[in-house]
């Protein structure tokens, strides 16, 4: 079982009974395992098993309620001694309609400490947020980081070397960080089948069962289009609609395309990066770039040989920035050039470019674009390698992306 760093957040907020700890993340990213690890921690520090109420709502054979009222009654029936603290952990809470009413009621009991997980951004819809305003602490769980992945792999080979690092990095680039695929390692066809099954599970449970989609084939094509173009140039909604019409991939209205993209975001398959323009001194409307929550799912769904890993590395960096709690935007310079990311945390902003190799071919776009900024932020490039004939100047800092992902270098 891979220990996730997020368990430390759960430990820190143990017994904050007025706060509902909500763990969100795409299906199969490890939320259930994280809850199980927390249960083991509670037992280890002396909490009796009768005080731990774990509900796995995606396993209907383990409970006999179907409504929020029945769930609330069931939980309270387990809290037989109000002088004790009870730890209520509800996995995949969105399965019970109006779950928030039950959770809100439980959060008012000083003897209940509550934790829930969910696989859909719908958890934070206006209806739910209004009821639970001021009571939520969200913990975003992503698929395994490269550090998680590396730590798992290196304990299997029991040898640390540059050669092993390169092998592990290549595996991660190709298959991503969904924990469940690790049991099929070195059986690539089974890995691909597993990742495909996760996508189909998300499609059915988080999208088709929730929304009315008349054009499922077109929906899948839009999904694959966004995933194929991760880390590409910024694109507007109008452009996506036009591309579908021109290439006969979909013939849908802008409203329908917009809805489909929103569903993909809510199911946490894709993430939208918005842009800030220094030229216009404002955020751009309806112009975005998209990234996959798990780049391995993206690679498998494409069903084609990967040609170059630059965009995948950019995707990995973007998700890692979110994991490290940066505020991330795309950046347009004064002369309409593009910087991959403007990242902000703790009142410090950094202009950030990402590439696989920094060489003469991409020098102007990667380093030269920094010259068109009118801010005084630190300028950083994350990359795998730098060509020997490249001279870095203008105060630009180059950091090895693998070292940064492994937390051995910072930016």
């Amino acid at each position: 079982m891979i220990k996730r760093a997020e368990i430390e957040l759960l430990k820190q907020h143990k017994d904050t009974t007025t706060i509902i700890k909500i763990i969100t993340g795409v299906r199969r990213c490890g939320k259930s395992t994280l809850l199980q690890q927390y249960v083991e921690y509670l037992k280890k520090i002396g909490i009796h098993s009768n005080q731990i109420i774990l509900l796995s709502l995606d396993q209907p054979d383990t409970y006999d309620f179907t409504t929020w009222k029945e769930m609330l009654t069931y939980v309270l029936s387990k809290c037989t001694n109000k002088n004790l603290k009870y730890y209520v952990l509800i996995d995949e809470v969105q399965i019970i309609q109006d779950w928030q009413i039950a959770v809100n009621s439980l959060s008012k009991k000083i003897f209940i400490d509550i934790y829930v997980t969910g696989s859909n951004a719908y958890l934070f819809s206006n209806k739910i947020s209004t009821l639970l305003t001021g009571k939520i602490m969200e913990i975003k769980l992503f698929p395994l980081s490269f550090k998680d992945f590396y730590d798992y792999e290196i304990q299997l080979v029991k040898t640390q070397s540059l050669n092993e690092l390169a092998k592990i990095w290549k595996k991660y680039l190709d298959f991503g960080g969904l924990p469940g695929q690790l049991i099929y390692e070195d059986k690539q066809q089974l890995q691909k089948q597993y990742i495909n099954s996760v996508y189909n599970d998300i499609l059915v449970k988080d999208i088709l069962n929730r929304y009315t989609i008349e054009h499922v084939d077109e929906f899948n094509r839009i999904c694959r289009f966004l995933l194929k173009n991760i880390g590409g140039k910024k694109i507007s909604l109008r452009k996506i609609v036009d591309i579908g019409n021109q290439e006969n991939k979909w013939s849908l209205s802008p409203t329908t395309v917009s809805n489909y993209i929103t569903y993909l975001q809510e199911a946490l398959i894709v993430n939208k990066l918005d842009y800030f323009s220094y030229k216009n001194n404002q955020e751009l409307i309806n112009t975005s770039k998209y990234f996959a929550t798990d780049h391995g799912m993206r690679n498998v769904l494409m069903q084609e040989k990967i040609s170059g890993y630059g965009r995948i590395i950019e995707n990995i960096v973007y998700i890692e920035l979110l994991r490290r709690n940066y505020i991330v935007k795309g950046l347009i310079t004064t002369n309409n050039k593009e910087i991959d990311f403007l990242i902000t945390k703790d009142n410090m902003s950094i202009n950030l470019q990402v590439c696989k190799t920094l060489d003469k071919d991409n020098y102007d776009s990667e380093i030269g674009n920094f010259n068109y900024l009118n801010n005084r932020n630190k300028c950083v490039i994350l990359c795998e390698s730098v060509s020997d004939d490249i001279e870095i100047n203008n105060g630009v800092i180059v950091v090895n992306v693998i070292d940064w992902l492994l937390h051995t270098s910072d930016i």
Side-chain angles (χ1 to χ4, degrees):
M1 190 180 291
I2 300 172
K3 182 180 178 181
R4 305 299 293 270
E6 289 78 7
I7 196 171
E8 298 303 321
L9 288 173
L10 298 182
K11 292 178 183 178
Q12 290 169 20
H13 291 87
K14 175 181 170 289
D15 296 333
T16 53
T17 55
T18 57
I19 298 297
I20 303 161
K21 281 70 70 175
I22 298 186
I23 304 163
T24 58
V26 68
R27 283 186 185 270
R28 315 278 184 89
C29 73
K31 300 184 300 298
S32 301
T33 300
L34 180 62
L35 280 191
Q36 191 58 54
Q37 289 177 349
Y38 190 58
V39 167
E40 294 305 315
Y41 162 75
L42 292 174
K43 291 178 179 179
K44 187 176 180 179
I45 63 173
I47 305 299
H48 195 277
S49 58
N50 288 343
Q51 295 169 250
I52 302 171
I53 304 166
L54 175 61
L55 304 177
S56 300
L57 299 187
D58 60 343
Q59 299 175 29
D61 58 321
T62 63
Y63 60 91
D64 59 1
F65 51 80
T66 57
T67 69
W68 70 264
K69 287 184 179 180
E70 293 170 340
M71 181 171 71
L72 177 61
T73 300
Y74 174 85
V75 171
L76 292 176
S77 73
K78 297 292 183 180
C79 304
T80 55
N81 186 345
K82 304 302 187 289
N83 294 319
L84 295 176
K85 185 81 70 181
Y86 289 88
Y87 299 87
V88 177
L89 305 97
I90 308 176
D91 196 16
E92 298 296 355
V93 71
Q94 77 281 348
I95 290 174
I96 298 295
Q97 188 173 0
D98 294 327
W99 61 269
Q100 68 276 10
I101 303 175
V103 167
N104 182 52
S105 179
L106 292 171
S107 72
K108 295 176 181 179
K109 312 294 184 184
I110 61 172
F111 53 88
I112 290 179
D113 190 16
I114 188 161
Y115 306 78
V116 304
T117 76
S119 297
N120 199 297
Y122 173 79
L123 288 177
F124 294 98
S125 68
N126 290 335
K127 176 183 175 183
I128 294 169
S129 296
T130 300
L131 183 63
L132 302 180
T133 297
K135 300 180 179 181
I136 294 174
M137 184 192 75
E138 182 186 11
I139 298 173
K140 293 182 180 180
L141 190 68
F142 295 93
L144 298 176
S145 68
F146 179 60
K147 187 176 189 315
D148 294 331
F149 190 87
Y150 175 81
D151 289 345
Y152 171 82
E153 291 284 338
I154 209 67
Q155 71 179 355
L156 298 181
V157 297
K158 297 181 172 59
T159 325
Q160 293 193 35
S161 66
L162 290 177
N163 186 45
E164 286 300 334
L165 175 59
K167 288 180 181 178
I168 295 169
W169 177 233
K170 180 63 165 57
K171 284 183 182 180
Y172 188 70
L173 286 172
D174 286 341
F175 290 100
L178 290 176
Q181 49 101 0
L182 294 177
I183 65 174
Y184 304 111
E185 273 206 301
D186 301 321
K187 299 176 182 176
Q188 292 191 2
Q189 195 55 42
L190 291 178
Q191 278 182 288
K192 292 177 181 178
Q193 288 175 8
Y194 172 80
I195 293 171
N196 257 315
S197 74
V198 174
Y199 172 74
N200 290 328
D201 206 28
I202 295 169
L203 179 64
V204 172
K205 293 180 179 179
D206 291 330
I207 299 175
L208 297 184
N209 285 353
R210 184 176 295 278
Y211 305 107
T212 301
I213 295 183
E214 298 179 2
H215 313 279
V216 177
D217 287 344
E218 287 89 342
F219 176 88
N220 278 314
R221 290 188 198 118
I222 289 173
C223 177
R224 284 171 168 78
F225 171 82
L226 296 179
L227 292 176
K228 181 176 182 178
N229 291 284
I230 58 168
K233 293 183 178 180
K234 63 184 185 302
I235 190 168
S236 67
L237 175 63
R238 181 73 257 175
K239 184 68 173 176
I240 295 173
V241 173
D242 291 344
I243 287 173
N245 290 331
Q246 292 164 8
E247 300 180 10
N248 294 318
K249 291 182 177 180
W250 53 81
S251 181
L252 303 170
S253 70
T255 299
T256 299
V257 172
S258 177
N259 287 340
Y260 286 1
I261 293 174
T262 297
Y263 302 159
L264 289 167
Q265 289 178 255
E266 289 187 345
L268 306 176
I269 293 176
V270 301
N271 302 266
K272 184 174 75 167
L273 176 73
D274 293 322
Y275 274 81
F276 181 83
S277 171
Y278 275 116
K279 182 177 181 180
N280 302 317
N281 196 33
Q282 63 183 12
E283 290 192 9
L284 299 183
I285 306 299
N286 293 326
T287 299
S288 308
K289 187 187 288 189
Y290 295 89
F291 292 94
T293 297
D294 183 71
H295 60 279
M297 181 182 293
R298 177 264 182 197
N299 294 343
V300 170
L301 290 177
M302 288 304 96
Q303 297 181 336
E304 59 187 26
K305 186 175 180 180
I306 300 170
S307 56
Y309 286 92
R311 289 185 179 183
I312 294 173
I313 293 173
E314 185 179 341
N315 197 115
I316 292 170
V317 167
Y318 173 73
I319 296 298
E320 185 66 20
L321 290 167
L322 298 183
R323 194 193 321 272
R324 298 187 190 186
N325 296 313
Y326 282 94
I327 297 171
V328 188
K329 293 187 179 298
L331 186 58
I332 304 298
T333 67
T334 51
N335 71 331
N336 221 32
K337 298 291 185 180
E338 189 171 332
I339 302 295
D340 291 330
F341 304 119
L342 170 66
I343 64 173
T344 304
K345 187 168 70 171
D346 300 330
N347 296 317
M348 181 182 72
S349 295
I350 297 173
N351 307 314
L352 181 63
Q353 296 274 59
V354 182
C355 60
K356 186 177 189 303
T357 300
L358 183 61
D359 54 28
K360 284 187 174 180
D361 290 336
N362 62 5
Y363 182 90
D364 286 342
S365 61
E366 299 296 343
I367 288 186
N369 286 359
F370 286 136
N371 296 327
Y372 300 101
L373 289 170
N374 59 358
N375 65 38
R376 296 186 178 181
N377 300 335
K378 181 164 64 173
C379 295
V380 178
I381 292 181
L382 286 173
C383 60
E384 264 192 43
S385 59
V386 180
S387 295
D388 294 336
D389 55 355
I390 290 296
E391 181 178 343
I392 310 298
N393 51 32
N394 296 335
V396 175
I397 300 169
V398 177
V399 177
N400 182 276
V401 67
I402 297 175
D403 289 344
W404 178 73
L405 292 168
L406 291 175
H407 295 266
T408 56
S409 292
D410 206 352
I411 55 177

